Amino acid sequence: ELDDLVRKQAKIDETGWTGVNERTFIAVKPDGVQRKLVGEIVRRFEKRGFKLVALKLVKASEELLSEHYWELRKKPFYSRLISYMSSGPVVAMVWQGLDVVKTARKMLGETNPAESLPGTIRGDFCVEVGKNVIHGSDSVESAQREISLWFRQGELHRWESSSKNWIY
Ligand code: ADP
């Protein structure tokens, strides 16, 4: 198991997706798009100091969603989750920055909005676990998997942020 961890870490180091280059996959779910929360959510990530690397509005196919939610396939709410997530377009994004995976999860709040503190996205904008507005990768490994699932290499943009020196 330790070997596994070491190998995983080596793979992450190799791709350079650590430190200020860490990336996470964030998606505004169909309810978030319907409720016009896209701007508010993008604003929070920009203001926090993260860098936008990719963004698109997509209607996710059931095939894509079944890969995305592979680990939940046995859950009783799975089919409801797939129809919810494919009920309308989602805004798929990649954000980059120091500890972005962990920080984004804090910004999102808990899976269940009722347990999410005010000030978090779920704590401010929703009430039900089945309509919780936003997705964010739960680890660096899932971020890598999800980014390559949702985006082609050419959709991930390289650009220098001039505010970088004011953040780090
Ligand atoms: P998170 O999105 O916070 O990482 P999970 O990976 O556990 O949480 O679940 C994925 C998504 O499945 C949740 O964001 C939510 O939309 C949905 N979900 C989780 N638990 C339930 C539940 N008990 N009932 C309905 N939907 C759920």
Side-chain angles (χ1 to χ4, degrees):
E1 202 165 19
L2 188 64
D3 263 12
D4 241 27
L5 276 177
V6 170
R7 232 175 299 118
K8 253 185 199 162
Q9 192 54 49
K11 202 171 148 224
I12 291 164
D13 292 344
E14 205 176 283
T15 54
W17 283 9
T18 52
V20 302
N21 295 319
E22 185 171 303
R23 290 174 170 186
T24 194
F25 174 69
I26 299 292
V28 182
K29 294 178 175 183
D31 52 330
V33 174
Q34 282 289 345
R35 295 187 46 212
K36 321 284 168 73
L37 293 171
V38 176
E40 168 70 29
I41 287 167
V42 169
R43 190 186 66 84
R44 289 185 179 211
F45 280 85
E46 283 187 326
K47 294 239 160 157
R48 185 68 189 254
F50 293 122
K51 178 178 170 184
L52 184 61
V53 170
L55 180 148
K56 62 182 175 184
L57 184 67
V58 279
K59 184 89 189 294
S61 67
E62 292 197 8
E63 192 191 349
L64 171 65
L65 292 168
S66 67
E67 275 202 58
H68 178 82
Y69 283 127
W70 176 251
E71 282 172 11
L72 300 177
R73 67 194 178 284
K74 302 263 164 62
K75 299 281 184 193
F77 57 83
Y78 177 77
S79 63
R80 244 181 310 134
L81 174 61
I82 300 298
S83 47
Y84 158 51
M85 287 296 294
S86 56
S87 63
V90 310
V91 174
M93 301 179 271
V94 178
W95 288 90
Q96 182 175 313
L98 186 66
D99 284 326
V100 68
V101 171
K102 186 177 170 190
T103 309
R105 293 284 293 192
K106 295 271 185 214
M107 292 166 69
L108 263 59
E110 302 300 317
T111 303
N112 185 351
E115 282 155 21
S116 301
L117 290 175
T120 64
I121 293 166
R122 286 167 177 164
D124 284 346
F125 301 121
C126 54
V127 292
E128 210 224 300
V129 67
K131 295 262 184 316
N132 62 356
V133 164
I134 186 165
H135 168 82
S137 310
D138 63 4
S139 67
V140 172
E141 297 82 57
S142 356
Q144 288 188 323
R145 187 178 70 84
E146 292 169 3
I147 291 167
S148 55
L149 185 62
W150 286 78
F151 289 95
R152 285 175 285 109
Q153 199 51 247
E155 293 176 311
L156 307 172
H157 293 276
R158 285 183 173 281
W159 61 285
E160 275 309 309
S161 162
S162 57
S163 65
K164 184 175 79 196
N165 297 334
W166 300 98
I167 294 168
Y168 301 119

